[in-house]
Amino acid sequence: MAYDAEDTRRRIFEAAAAEFAEHGLAGARVERIATAARANKQAIYLYFGGKEQLFAAVLRAKMAEVQVSVSVDPDAVAESVGQLFDWYQEHPELIRLLLWEALEAGGGLGEGEEERRGAFREKVRHLVDGGVGEGLPEERRVRAGQDLLFTLMGLIAWNFAVPGMCRMMLDEETERAALARRRETVIRTARALAAGAA
């Protein structure tokens, strides 16, 4: 059977995503990634350059995945938020990766930051073009769109950043029950925020 470089890259990537989500950049081990991917360590360095570059590639790909999967529709913000909530429930690893990045990067300029800023600017522009901050000067409209987007993302992300706290605070027996309840609350809140921002 011939060596399949693309399949090896895919296996490394999947194993790395799980390893980084579980252990962060500092705690992740290239040996564990290689073992889980059924690849050798040299393939990781060959295809990705090293642990830091692999972490950046995983985070970049996960961010692109959510951006392609769900967009915030200015005419249906609450429905978009519900879709984002569902996406994060199916892919909790992105929140964990972002938390690890925040803990370990120390606020410095990370690899791919400009690319991510550009993607957020596009989303904000979409909200502003859809009517957010209508009647305000352009700069204030953009700021209103930025604040709305960041607030909505925070409303969603916190549920997956601290699921145990969510379950305990809401006094639910399971995380699933707590998240179902939170989804409805987040959608209702997003609807109110969007109406206020418009």
Side-chain angles (χ1 to χ4, degrees):
M1 188 164 124
Y3 178 74
D4 185 343
E6 202 49 48
D7 184 57
T8 302
R9 284 177 63 95
R10 181 192 54 73
R11 290 193 323 268
I12 290 170
F13 186 87
E14 289 173 3
E19 177 75 8
F20 289 132
E22 182 70 25
H23 301 285
L25 177 58
R29 296 292 172 258
V30 172
E31 296 81 15
R32 284 195 301 250
I33 294 170
T35 300
R38 297 179 327 277
N40 60 48
K41 289 191 321 186
Q42 289 74 21
I44 294 171
Y45 295 110
L46 173 68
Y47 294 133
F48 296 99
K51 190 167 78 164
E52 291 78 11
Q53 292 87 351
L54 180 54
F55 181 85
V58 167
L59 186 54
R60 195 168 40 251
K62 291 293 178 183
M63 292 292 291
E65 192 178 322
V66 69
Q67 288 167 2
V68 167
S69 299
V70 185
S71 65
V72 179
D73 182 351
D75 296 322
V77 170
E79 292 76 9
S80 297
V81 164
Q83 291 171 355
L84 273 168
F85 194 100
D86 295 342
W87 191 92
Y88 278 108
Q89 191 165 6
E90 291 174 24
H91 304 276
E93 70 278 359
L94 177 56
I95 296 296
R96 293 184 59 86
L97 290 168
L98 289 169
L99 289 170
W100 282 117
E101 178 191 45
L103 287 168
E104 297 179 335
L109 213 66
E111 186 178 326
E113 183 167 330
E114 278 309 308
E115 181 183 332
R116 284 160 63 186
R117 277 180 189 260
F120 289 129
R121 285 182 184 126
E122 272 183 47
K123 288 187 180 305
V124 168
R125 183 81 255 156
H126 189 60
L127 286 170
V128 169
D129 290 346
V132 168
E134 204 162 45
L136 295 173
E138 179 65 15
E139 184 179 328
R140 288 188 55 205
R141 289 188 74 193
V142 169
R143 293 206 176 276
Q146 290 168 334
D147 287 337
L148 177 62
L149 182 61
F150 192 78
T151 300
L152 293 174
M153 291 177 73
L155 279 172
I156 297 165
W158 192 241
N159 298 286
F160 304 103
V162 290
M165 179 190 235
C166 178
R167 178 182 52 77
M168 289 182 284
M169 188 177 291
L170 298 181
D171 203 18
E172 295 286 356
E173 290 301 314
T174 66
E175 287 177 12
R176 184 184 192 108
L179 287 174
R181 185 171 152 195
R182 284 296 303 151
R183 184 184 191 277
E184 294 307 312
T185 302
V186 166
I187 289 171
R188 209 170 36 252
T189 305
R191 189 171 286 119
L193 286 170

